[in-house]
Amino acid sequence: MSQFKNDRFLRAILREPIDRTPVWIMRQAGRYLPEYRATRERAGSFMTLCKTPELACEVTLQPLARFNLDAAIIFSDILTIPDAMGLGLHFVENHGPKFERPVRNEAFINSLEVPDPAQLAYVYEAIKLVKHDLADKIPLIGFCGSPWTLATYMIEGESKTNFSIINKMLLENPSSLHKLLDKLAKAVAMHLAMQIEAGASAVMIFDTWGGMLSTENYYEFSLNYSKQIIKELKQYNKNRVPLILFTKGGQRWLEPMAESGCDVIGVDWEITLKEARLRTKDKVALQGNMNPAVLRETAEHIEQQVAAILSSFGQGSGHVFNLGHGITPDVSPEKVSVLIDAVQTLSPPYHTGMSR
Ligand code: CP3
């Protein structure tokens, strides 16, 4: 028996029988919610919101008060790690993250240290507060960025689309880049282990920019380090807390991802879940994969898309419904209710004969 009153999310990951498909939404606590915008305003800045455990807890719980979700995700950010490594992070309004001291040479990489857990204690404190308030109703997900994705922000210094600086380093000085990725892998493994210790029941690696790499480079500079994290985590993760690996644009590499030791692959909308399931041979569970843009369409359109995705995965357990990337700030919360209701009413037939 699980400790959770609603354990559909964890059972789906283990591909155990459930009554219906579980659902949660990437960035479920975010700017599309007026109550998030109000708390964010009160905090004064995004980083203050992240670093004040009571406020991070409040924001984590906001979508759960509105929607019947099957999992919570801790409110934080992947860039807390580079911030703790001393790069000086702030968020520029309508622009995104910016580092005061981006990584530009090997001497700087050599000087970087894996953060002490005490520097990220605000994340673990927030997890403990959320765990307490959830009272075992649903599981809480912890998360981090992949070393590759963190490195793109740390080297470029801000959100970019052409990645010219990191690409130059990859081509001209791959050993420096490997040094940085290795330190980040150690930092991420530590951060995930601490989130698990604080009460996270699953963890997710966001590899937002893995999809921009060539296949050889994806293996060498991204997947390798996710594997290193998974391996390291297994040593002190006695409860076998499951791990979700999400590479945006990573559909080319589903087979090696399924062999990485992760329990779930996050899938975006570039492929159907049918194809993803066939290619991963039910070795892992799948999470996804509705295009967030569908949430701008009518209720009928959203219901049709939910139906198509459920049917594409097909019969049985092993699917966690989600978007294929984070929800955008322009979405109306009512549309999220439509999506969640549709998953709840349309998914039971895919679990017939299997419910507990
Ligand atoms: O999913 C959740 O509800 C948990 C919270 C969460 C946030 N960021 C809060 C956030 C999670 C899981 C993340 C992960 C994250 N952060 C990623 C990977 C996921 C993805 O979307 O691909 C990345 C690349 C980041 C880095 C980051 N944080 C960027 C580039 C930005 C600016 C762009 C944007 O969307 O505004 C952020 C800011 C951020 N992180 C916001 C939220 C709710 C919005 C900031 C605000 O409130 O002003």
Side-chain angles (χ1 to χ4, degrees):
M1 255 305 272
S2 150
Q3 69 185 104
F4 296 102
K5 292 184 190 83
N6 168 358
D7 62 357
R8 282 185 196 96
F9 167 72
L10 293 172
R11 290 181 66 93
I13 290 177
L14 296 169
R15 286 158 286 144
E16 291 176 0
I18 37 177
D19 58 346
R20 64 163 176 81
T21 305
V23 54
W24 71 277
I25 305 234
M26 286 194 261
R27 291 267 171 114
Q28 61 193 24
R31 282 162 297 177
Y32 75 104
L33 290 178
E35 57 270 35
Y36 170 84
R37 295 196 296 270
T39 312
R40 161 87 167 67
E41 183 83 28
R42 200 151 39 92
S45 78
F46 176 72
M47 284 314 284
T48 308
L49 187 51
C50 284
K51 290 187 178 181
T52 313
E54 292 73 20
L55 294 179
C57 169
E58 180 183 316
V59 165
T60 302
L61 298 173
Q62 284 171 346
L64 310 175
R66 267 186 190 258
F67 312 118
N68 193 2
L69 292 156
D70 297 298
I73 180 162
I74 189 65
F75 183 82
S76 187
D77 199 84
I78 63 167
L79 301 179
T80 53
I81 287 193
D83 179 59
M85 289 171 115
L87 269 65
L89 171 66
H90 60 274
F91 281 80
V92 183
E93 215 61 57
N94 302 320
H95 180 74
K98 206 168 165 69
F99 288 110
E100 277 161 46
R101 289 173 291 281
V103 172
R104 291 289 156 79
N105 57 54
E106 179 149 346
F108 190 46
I109 292 173
N110 289 336
S111 76
L112 289 174
E113 284 182 35
V114 173
D116 188 285
Q119 290 169 276
L120 290 154
Y122 59 88
V123 179
Y124 318 132
E125 204 45 53
I127 289 178
K128 286 182 193 154
L129 293 177
V130 172
K131 275 294 283 182
H132 177 264
D133 283 0
L134 281 178
D136 287 340
K137 278 197 218 88
I138 51 172
L140 174 66
I141 304 167
F143 71 89
C144 64
S146 72
W148 167 256
T149 291
L150 293 180
T152 62
Y153 287 100
M154 292 168 78
I155 291 170
E156 299 293 334
E158 58 190 299
S159 289
K160 289 259 181 73
T161 45
N162 65 0
F163 303 102
S164 53
I165 311 174
I166 193 168
N167 275 318
K168 193 169 154 72
M169 191 188 280
L170 187 153
L171 292 167
E172 292 177 6
N173 203 350
S175 66
S176 295
L177 187 52
H178 278 303
K179 265 193 194 168
L180 176 62
L181 293 168
D182 191 63
K183 281 191 185 178
L184 287 171
K186 292 192 171 82
V188 165
M190 175 283 289
H191 191 44
L192 291 182
M194 292 298 293
Q195 291 184 63
I196 292 169
E197 198 175 295
S201 296
V203 289
M204 176 156 167
I205 300 179
F206 285 87
D207 188 16
T208 306
W209 299 117
M212 65 176 259
L213 289 163
S214 69
T215 292
E216 297 78 6
N217 287 341
Y218 174 71
Y219 296 158
E220 181 176 342
F221 294 94
S222 177
L223 188 63
N224 252 345
Y225 291 96
S226 294
K227 279 190 189 162
Q228 194 174 309
I229 293 160
I230 293 167
K231 208 166 135 198
E232 207 164 309
L233 209 53
K234 281 202 168 133
Q235 293 173 7
Y236 43 135
N237 176 10
K238 294 194 189 63
N239 298 332
R240 285 289 295 111
V241 163
L243 184 136
I244 309 167
L245 179 59
F246 171 62
T247 297
K248 178 78 181 61
Q251 52 99 357
R252 284 163 284 171
W253 310 304
L254 287 180
E255 293 85 352
M257 284 170 81
E259 300 288 344
S260 68
C262 72
D263 304 277
V264 187
I265 296 180
V267 183
D268 66 22
W269 57 93
E270 282 184 347
I271 49 163
T272 61
L273 289 184
K274 183 176 179 179
E275 182 190 338
R277 192 177 184 183
L278 275 171
R279 282 173 51 196
T280 54
K281 302 190 178 67
D282 275 318
K283 270 188 208 140
V284 289
L286 299 175
Q287 177 174 283
N289 70 339
M290 194 166 98
N291 185 339
V294 175
L295 289 173
R296 294 190 200 113
E297 304 299 320
T298 61
E300 292 71 34
H301 199 106
I302 295 167
E303 284 160 1
Q304 272 170 21
Q305 280 292 310
V306 169
I309 288 165
L310 291 171
S311 150
S312 180
F313 183 83
Q315 281 294 321
S317 189
H319 176 209
V320 175
F321 201 101
N322 206 316
L323 302 177
H325 202 191
I327 187 168
T328 51
D330 58 333
V331 168
S332 117
E334 288 71 40
K335 297 291 177 64
V336 175
S337 294
V338 171
L339 181 156
I340 291 167
D341 288 351
V343 175
Q344 290 171 356
T345 51
L346 302 175
S347 68
Y350 293 99
H351 301 276
T352 45
M354 296 184 72
S355 58
R356 287 186 286 158

PDB file of all heavy atoms in Angstrom, residues 50-67:
ATOM      1  N   CYS A  50      11.331  32.340  -5.092  1.00  0.00           N
ATOM      2  CA  CYS A  50      12.021  31.044  -5.011  1.00  0.00           C
ATOM      3  C   CYS A  50      12.689  30.844  -3.656  1.00  0.00           C
ATOM      4  O   CYS A  50      12.712  29.736  -3.128  1.00  0.00           O
ATOM      5  CB  CYS A  50      13.113  30.943  -6.075  1.00  0.00           C
ATOM      6  SG  CYS A  50      12.505  30.638  -7.727  1.00  0.00           S
ATOM      7  N   LYS A  51      13.247  31.930  -3.108  1.00  0.00           N
ATOM      8  CA  LYS A  51      14.098  31.787  -1.922  1.00  0.00           C
ATOM      9  C   LYS A  51      13.353  31.959  -0.606  1.00  0.00           C
ATOM     10  O   LYS A  51      13.964  31.902   0.459  1.00  0.00           O
ATOM     11  CB  LYS A  51      15.272  32.777  -1.998  1.00  0.00           C
ATOM     12  CG  LYS A  51      16.265  32.400  -3.089  1.00  0.00           C
ATOM     13  CD  LYS A  51      17.499  33.269  -3.071  1.00  0.00           C
ATOM     14  CE  LYS A  51      18.478  32.801  -4.152  1.00  0.00           C
ATOM     15  NZ  LYS A  51      19.708  33.565  -4.183  1.00  0.00           N
ATOM     16  N   THR A  52      12.044  32.203  -0.670  1.00  0.00           N
ATOM     17  CA  THR A  52      11.260  32.321   0.563  1.00  0.00           C
ATOM     18  C   THR A  52      10.369  31.079   0.668  1.00  0.00           C
ATOM     19  O   THR A  52       9.350  30.985  -0.038  1.00  0.00           O
ATOM     20  CB  THR A  52      10.389  33.607   0.546  1.00  0.00           C
ATOM     21  OG1 THR A  52      11.217  34.700   0.122  1.00  0.00           O
ATOM     22  CG2 THR A  52       9.774  33.901   1.899  1.00  0.00           C
ATOM     23  N   PRO A  53      10.763  30.097   1.487  1.00  0.00           N
ATOM     24  CA  PRO A  53      10.045  28.817   1.509  1.00  0.00           C
ATOM     25  C   PRO A  53       8.533  28.941   1.703  1.00  0.00           C
ATOM     26  O   PRO A  53       7.774  28.239   1.042  1.00  0.00           O
ATOM     27  CB  PRO A  53      10.694  28.063   2.677  1.00  0.00           C
ATOM     28  CG  PRO A  53      12.081  28.618   2.744  1.00  0.00           C
ATOM     29  CD  PRO A  53      11.955  30.063   2.362  1.00  0.00           C
ATOM     30  N   GLU A  54       8.075  29.871   2.533  1.00  0.00           N
ATOM     31  CA  GLU A  54       6.622  30.006   2.766  1.00  0.00           C
ATOM     32  C   GLU A  54       5.921  30.425   1.471  1.00  0.00           C
ATOM     33  O   GLU A  54       4.827  29.945   1.174  1.00  0.00           O
ATOM     34  CB  GLU A  54       6.320  31.050   3.855  1.00  0.00           C
ATOM     35  CG  GLU A  54       6.759  30.651   5.263  1.00  0.00           C
ATOM     36  CD  GLU A  54       8.272  30.710   5.467  1.00  0.00           C
ATOM     37  OE1 GLU A  54       8.966  31.404   4.680  1.00  0.00           O
ATOM     38  OE2 GLU A  54       8.762  30.031   6.394  1.00  0.00           O
ATOM     39  N   LEU A  55       6.548  31.340   0.716  1.00  0.00           N
ATOM     40  CA  LEU A  55       5.929  31.806  -0.534  1.00  0.00           C
ATOM     41  C   LEU A  55       6.019  30.727  -1.612  1.00  0.00           C
ATOM     42  O   LEU A  55       5.059  30.509  -2.368  1.00  0.00           O
ATOM     43  CB  LEU A  55       6.596  33.101  -1.016  1.00  0.00           C
ATOM     44  CG  LEU A  55       6.408  34.329  -0.113  1.00  0.00           C
ATOM     45  CD1 LEU A  55       7.132  35.540  -0.696  1.00  0.00           C
ATOM     46  CD2 LEU A  55       4.928  34.649   0.083  1.00  0.00           C
ATOM     47  N   ALA A  56       7.156  30.036  -1.688  1.00  0.00           N
ATOM     48  CA  ALA A  56       7.310  28.948  -2.669  1.00  0.00           C
ATOM     49  C   ALA A  56       6.273  27.863  -2.387  1.00  0.00           C
ATOM     50  O   ALA A  56       5.677  27.297  -3.311  1.00  0.00           O
ATOM     51  CB  ALA A  56       8.720  28.382  -2.628  1.00  0.00           C
ATOM     52  N   CYS A  57       6.026  27.596  -1.118  1.00  0.00           N
ATOM     53  CA  CYS A  57       5.023  26.592  -0.717  1.00  0.00           C
ATOM     54  C   CYS A  57       3.633  27.060  -1.139  1.00  0.00           C
ATOM     55  O   CYS A  57       2.875  26.316  -1.767  1.00  0.00           O
ATOM     56  CB  CYS A  57       5.108  26.371   0.789  1.00  0.00           C
ATOM     57  SG  CYS A  57       3.743  25.404   1.464  1.00  0.00           S
ATOM     58  N   GLU A  58       3.331  28.314  -0.839  1.00  0.00           N
ATOM     59  CA  GLU A  58       2.018  28.873  -1.191  1.00  0.00           C
ATOM     60  C   GLU A  58       1.749  28.735  -2.701  1.00  0.00           C
ATOM     61  O   GLU A  58       0.682  28.286  -3.125  1.00  0.00           O
ATOM     62  CB  GLU A  58       2.008  30.359  -0.781  1.00  0.00           C
ATOM     63  CG  GLU A  58       0.731  31.106  -1.063  1.00  0.00           C
ATOM     64  CD  GLU A  58       0.866  32.597  -0.681  1.00  0.00           C
ATOM     65  OE1 GLU A  58       1.413  32.892   0.409  1.00  0.00           O
ATOM     66  OE2 GLU A  58       0.428  33.448  -1.473  1.00  0.00           O
ATOM     67  N   VAL A  59       2.736  29.086  -3.495  1.00  0.00           N
ATOM     68  CA  VAL A  59       2.588  29.054  -4.949  1.00  0.00           C
ATOM     69  C   VAL A  59       2.485  27.614  -5.476  1.00  0.00           C
ATOM     70  O   VAL A  59       1.715  27.333  -6.399  1.00  0.00           O
ATOM     71  CB  VAL A  59       3.773  29.828  -5.578  1.00  0.00           C
ATOM     72  CG1 VAL A  59       3.908  29.542  -7.043  1.00  0.00           C
ATOM     73  CG2 VAL A  59       3.612  31.328  -5.355  1.00  0.00           C
ATOM     74  N   THR A  60       3.230  26.696  -4.867  1.00  0.00           N
ATOM     75  CA  THR A  60       3.153  25.278  -5.259  1.00  0.00           C
ATOM     76  C   THR A  60       1.733  24.758  -5.092  1.00  0.00           C
ATOM     77  O   THR A  60       1.240  23.978  -5.920  1.00  0.00           O
ATOM     78  CB  THR A  60       4.097  24.423  -4.373  1.00  0.00           C
ATOM     79  OG1 THR A  60       5.433  24.920  -4.510  1.00  0.00           O
ATOM     80  CG2 THR A  60       4.051  22.953  -4.750  1.00  0.00           C
ATOM     81  N   LEU A  61       1.074  25.205  -4.017  1.00  0.00           N
ATOM     82  CA  LEU A  61      -0.261  24.675  -3.699  1.00  0.00           C
ATOM     83  C   LEU A  61      -1.380  25.338  -4.511  1.00  0.00           C
ATOM     84  O   LEU A  61      -2.476  24.787  -4.616  1.00  0.00           O
ATOM     85  CB  LEU A  61      -0.541  24.842  -2.198  1.00  0.00           C
ATOM     86  CG  LEU A  61       0.420  24.090  -1.254  1.00  0.00           C
ATOM     87  CD1 LEU A  61       0.157  24.476   0.197  1.00  0.00           C
ATOM     88  CD2 LEU A  61       0.290  22.578  -1.429  1.00  0.00           C
ATOM     89  N   GLN A  62      -1.111  26.500  -5.103  1.00  0.00           N
ATOM     90  CA  GLN A  62      -2.180  27.247  -5.798  1.00  0.00           C
ATOM     91  C   GLN A  62      -2.904  26.434  -6.885  1.00  0.00           C
ATOM     92  O   GLN A  62      -4.135  26.375  -6.882  1.00  0.00           O
ATOM     93  CB  GLN A  62      -1.629  28.554  -6.374  1.00  0.00           C
ATOM     94  CG  GLN A  62      -1.416  29.602  -5.295  1.00  0.00           C
ATOM     95  CD  GLN A  62      -0.664  30.829  -5.786  1.00  0.00           C
ATOM     96  OE1 GLN A  62      -0.072  30.815  -6.866  1.00  0.00           O
ATOM     97  NE2 GLN A  62      -0.668  31.886  -4.987  1.00  0.00           N
ATOM     98  N   PRO A  63      -2.189  25.775  -7.804  1.00  0.00           N
ATOM     99  CA  PRO A  63      -2.929  25.025  -8.833  1.00  0.00           C
ATOM    100  C   PRO A  63      -3.715  23.844  -8.250  1.00  0.00           C
ATOM    101  O   PRO A  63      -4.723  23.430  -8.817  1.00  0.00           O
ATOM    102  CB  PRO A  63      -1.829  24.540  -9.791  1.00  0.00           C
ATOM    103  CG  PRO A  63      -0.556  24.652  -9.033  1.00  0.00           C
ATOM    104  CD  PRO A  63      -0.741  25.755  -8.042  1.00  0.00           C
ATOM    105  N   LEU A  64      -3.256  23.333  -7.108  1.00  0.00           N
ATOM    106  CA  LEU A  64      -3.941  22.174  -6.510  1.00  0.00           C
ATOM    107  C   LEU A  64      -5.275  22.584  -5.902  1.00  0.00           C
ATOM    108  O   LEU A  64      -6.190  21.776  -5.786  1.00  0.00           O
ATOM    109  CB  LEU A  64      -3.069  21.521  -5.430  1.00  0.00           C
ATOM    110  CG  LEU A  64      -1.628  21.220  -5.857  1.00  0.00           C
ATOM    111  CD1 LEU A  64      -0.828  20.696  -4.684  1.00  0.00           C
ATOM    112  CD2 LEU A  64      -1.613  20.226  -7.001  1.00  0.00           C
ATOM    113  N   ALA A  65      -5.387  23.860  -5.513  1.00  0.00           N
ATOM    114  CA  ALA A  65      -6.650  24.343  -4.951  1.00  0.00           C
ATOM    115  C   ALA A  65      -7.686  24.513  -6.061  1.00  0.00           C
ATOM    116  O   ALA A  65      -8.878  24.400  -5.843  1.00  0.00           O
ATOM    117  CB  ALA A  65      -6.417  25.667  -4.237  1.00  0.00           C
ATOM    118  N   ARG A  66      -7.231  24.746  -7.273  1.00  0.00           N
ATOM    119  CA  ARG A  66      -8.139  24.963  -8.400  1.00  0.00           C
ATOM    120  C   ARG A  66      -8.503  23.698  -9.143  1.00  0.00           C
ATOM    121  O   ARG A  66      -9.621  23.554  -9.615  1.00  0.00           O
ATOM    122  CB  ARG A  66      -7.438  25.849  -9.450  1.00  0.00           C
ATOM    123  CG  ARG A  66      -7.676  27.302  -9.322  1.00  0.00           C
ATOM    124  CD  ARG A  66      -7.006  27.925 -10.532  1.00  0.00           C
ATOM    125  NE  ARG A  66      -6.962  29.352 -10.417  1.00  0.00           N
ATOM    126  CZ  ARG A  66      -7.800  30.167 -11.058  1.00  0.00           C
ATOM    127  NH1 ARG A  66      -8.720  29.689 -11.870  1.00  0.00           N
ATOM    128  NH2 ARG A  66      -7.694  31.466 -10.901  1.00  0.00           N
ATOM    129  N   PHE A  67      -7.493  22.832  -9.337  1.00  0.00           N
ATOM    130  CA  PHE A  67      -7.661  21.695 -10.250  1.00  0.00           C
ATOM    131  C   PHE A  67      -7.432  20.375  -9.526  1.00  0.00           C
ATOM    132  O   PHE A  67      -6.663  20.306  -8.576  1.00  0.00           O
ATOM    133  CB  PHE A  67      -6.645  21.765 -11.411  1.00  0.00           C
ATOM    134  CG  PHE A  67      -6.550  23.104 -12.079  1.00  0.00           C
ATOM    135  CD1 PHE A  67      -5.358  23.821 -12.059  1.00  0.00           C
ATOM    136  CD2 PHE A  67      -7.651  23.648 -12.736  1.00  0.00           C
ATOM    137  CE1 PHE A  67      -5.249  25.054 -12.681  1.00  0.00           C
ATOM    138  CE2 PHE A  67      -7.550  24.885 -13.372  1.00  0.00           C
ATOM    139  CZ  PHE A  67      -6.350  25.595 -13.347  1.00  0.00           C
TER     140      PHE A  67
END
